[in-house]
Structures are given as structure tokens and as C-alpha cells.
Amino acid sequence: MTPSKYVQPELGRHSLSVLLVLLLVSAALFSDYCLGSATRTTPGPVSFTNLNLYSFFLVGLIYGWTAAGSWLLSCIERRYLRWGLQLGLTVVLARILQAMREDEWMRFFSSLGGLVFSQTIIFHLIGMPRWKISRLADRDSPNLKDEPTRQFGIGDILACTTCIAFLLAIMIRYQPSGVGSTSYWLPLIAFLTIAPLSAASMMKAVLGSRRRIEQIAWVLLSIGTTILCAAGLTLAQFLLTDLLKNQSNSPDPWQLAVTIGLAYETLLITFVGLFAALASAGLIGNKHKSSRPA
């Protein structure tokens, strides 16, 4: 076994307490939004007139809980149980996202499901650590864990093939309203690739090297990636849609670009920030276990 370069996050009493607080705060924010009169907007074509940064913050939470929750479920060793729970999490959060705006559930399920799928592949390829359930009998594990080599088995290959086929079927069948299929799916695919990489960079800062300079470098890389992703989504919206033609009272293109970029940046920072919070919670659990007397 090759020693992992990262601290393996622990799921114990202390980390669960932090996670429960995060979950309760998120639930309170969603309850306040659903009971209030905020304008309901979600990612997709953004206009200057219907922009609501708070709604993009909440959408970032949904994407964050989908992806970070899927990573948290990696502590379950039985793969079929883990896959089932990840699927259930995606279904529930896609329904919550649908409640924020009246649109087809398939749109949100394909976005969140694609995020879980791409993140799982990317995290596996770059060797991000899985969560581990803390056990009282396990007192001698060092901070840097020795994880078994993770290889794809037949079940994993069949699951990947099924997911790809299912997502392709959705892409063929679902026709997004207001924009063409290319204008919708290309930016989404780019987001599903870049967002996990940005989250992984932030996790490397939290769970990786204790050298301050390396931590700062990974944080800066994560921030730079989110800025690049937001700029790319904004540019794609200008190039692939008739955004300016549909704006009756639009400001100049530069001001509109800054406004839309800020909306996407709000979503991405919330997404990455939730990953950083979960990784920090796992680090707290790991440190607490390693500090217990033998």
C-alpha cells in the first residue's frame, strides 16, 4: 500500500456535530427562501433584470451538498449501498432545486447526477481521500493514512456505463426551453469538469501538506479555477445565446458581463466553500481521534 498524501477525513462525534450545524443552517436558509417572496432563479440563461444573487447562493448550496454529500458517503464500504444513497441524495436535492423554479425535474436531475458522476471519476483519478467512519477501537492510525489501492472492478465499469447511457438519454430527450441544446449542454459539461477540480484544490489545502506555502498555493489555485469557470460560463452565455437581444433595458455589455459573472461566482464560491467546511469537519474528527490516549 502506498501512503496517502492527505489526511483521511474521519466521521465521528465531533465531525458529525459540525456537519449537523451546517445542515441545519442550510435547511433554515432554504425554509426562509421558500416562505419568502424572493425571485426564483436558477443557473442557466441569466438576465440582468431577473438576477438574484441570494438565489444563486442557495443553488450553490444545493450543488455543494450534492457533491460534498456524495463524497461524504464514500465512507460506506458497500458500493451498492453507497451508490443507492448517492442516487437518493441526488433525487431529493433535484426536487428541492425544482421547487425553486418551475421547470422539468429532469433538467436538475441530469445536472446534479452528472456532477456526482464526474466528481467520482475525477476524485478517483487524482487520488482524493475517502471518508472513514471513526471507531473507538482504532486508536493507532497516524494522521497520514495508508489507503488501499482503489481500482475499478466489473461492478464499477457496469455502473459507469449505465450512468453514461442514462445521461446521454437525458441529453437527447430533454430540450431546454429558451436556449438550444448546444448552448445549454456545452457550458454545463464544462462546469461539471471544472467544479470538481476547484473543490479538489480546496480539499488539498485543507487535508494535504501542513506547509503553509503549499496550502496557500492550493487555495489560490481553487480561487483561480472558480474565477476562470465563472468567466467561461459568462462568455458562453454571451456567445451561445442572444442575451443582449433579449434585454429590453440592458446596460452596456461590460456591466452585464460583470453582473452575470458575479452570479456564477457566487454559486461556485458557495459550492467550493461547502467542500472546505466538510473537509475541515473531517480534519477535526481525525485530529480528535489521534489525540485520544491509547
Side-chain angles (χ1 to χ4, degrees):
M1 292 186 295
T2 304
S4 172
K5 296 181 291 184
Y6 311 108
V7 176
Q8 188 176 27
E10 294 279 344
L11 189 61
R13 284 187 307 169
H14 291 74
S15 55
L16 278 174
S17 299
V18 176
L19 294 175
L20 181 60
V21 171
L22 290 173
L23 187 60
L24 290 176
V25 170
S26 299
L29 292 174
F30 279 108
S31 298
D32 175 71
Y33 179 84
C34 292
L35 294 175
S37 58
T39 303
R40 289 170 169 78
T41 58
T42 54
V46 186
S47 69
F48 180 77
T49 56
N50 72 356
L51 183 65
N52 185 335
L53 291 182
Y54 183 54
S55 69
F56 276 84
F57 166 75
L58 294 180
V59 171
L61 278 181
I62 291 180
Y63 275 81
W65 276 114
T66 304
S70 176
W71 176 52
L72 181 64
L73 289 172
S74 65
C75 65
I76 299 175
E77 296 180 358
R78 296 184 178 181
R79 64 179 66 179
Y80 296 109
L81 176 60
R82 181 173 68 250
W83 293 343
L85 291 175
Q86 289 173 335
L87 176 61
L89 177 67
T90 305
V91 169
V92 171
L93 291 177
R95 181 65 185 87
I96 294 175
L97 193 54
Q98 182 190 26
M100 295 181 64
R101 181 185 180 189
E102 295 182 359
D103 202 336
E104 292 187 43
W105 174 81
M106 189 179 294
R107 167 192 172 184
F108 306 115
F109 179 74
S110 62
S111 300
L112 298 181
L115 178 61
V116 171
F117 176 75
S118 64
Q119 174 185 286
T120 301
I121 299 297
I122 291 173
F123 280 15
H124 177 88
L125 294 177
I126 63 180
M128 294 311 301
R130 294 179 178 178
W131 280 73
K132 181 179 180 181
I133 299 177
S134 180
R135 295 179 175 85
L136 293 177
D138 186 12
R139 298 174 179 268
D140 300 323
S141 299
N143 281 348
L144 295 180
K145 305 299 180 182
D146 293 338
E147 289 192 275
T149 302
R150 297 175 291 179
Q151 299 292 337
F152 281 112
I154 298 298
D156 298 288
I157 295 175
L158 290 175
C160 287
T161 304
T162 302
C163 287
I164 292 174
F166 187 68
L167 291 173
L168 286 175
I170 293 178
M171 291 176 66
I172 294 173
R173 182 170 180 177
Y174 174 67
Q175 296 296 325
S177 59
V179 293
S181 296
T182 301
S183 302
Y184 176 77
W185 289 110
L186 285 182
L188 178 60
I189 291 173
F191 170 80
L192 298 182
T193 303
I194 298 176
L197 292 175
S198 181
S201 299
M202 186 62 70
M203 288 160 55
K204 287 174 181 287
V206 177
L207 301 175
S209 171
R210 297 299 93 195
R211 295 177 58 187
R212 186 67 62 183
I213 186 64
E214 291 187 15
Q215 290 177 315
I216 294 175
W218 282 117
V219 170
L220 292 177
L221 179 60
S222 180
I223 294 174
T225 307
T226 60
I227 294 174
L228 176 64
C229 186
L233 290 172
T234 303
L235 180 61
Q237 187 161 343
F238 273 93
L239 296 179
L240 299 176
T241 67
D242 295 327
L243 182 63
L244 290 176
K245 294 180 181 179
N246 297 328
Q247 302 296 313
S248 57
N249 298 314
S250 63
D252 63 87
W254 172 250
Q255 183 180 353
L256 184 59
V258 171
T259 304
I260 295 174
L262 181 61
Y264 286 129
E265 197 64 49
T266 300
L267 188 157
L268 287 162
I269 290 176
T270 306
F271 173 85
V272 174
L274 191 56
F275 262 100
L278 259 67
S280 299
L283 186 63
I284 291 172
N286 182 288
K287 287 185 175 181
H288 174 76
K289 192 194 75 168
S290 63
S291 66
R292 291 200 305 260

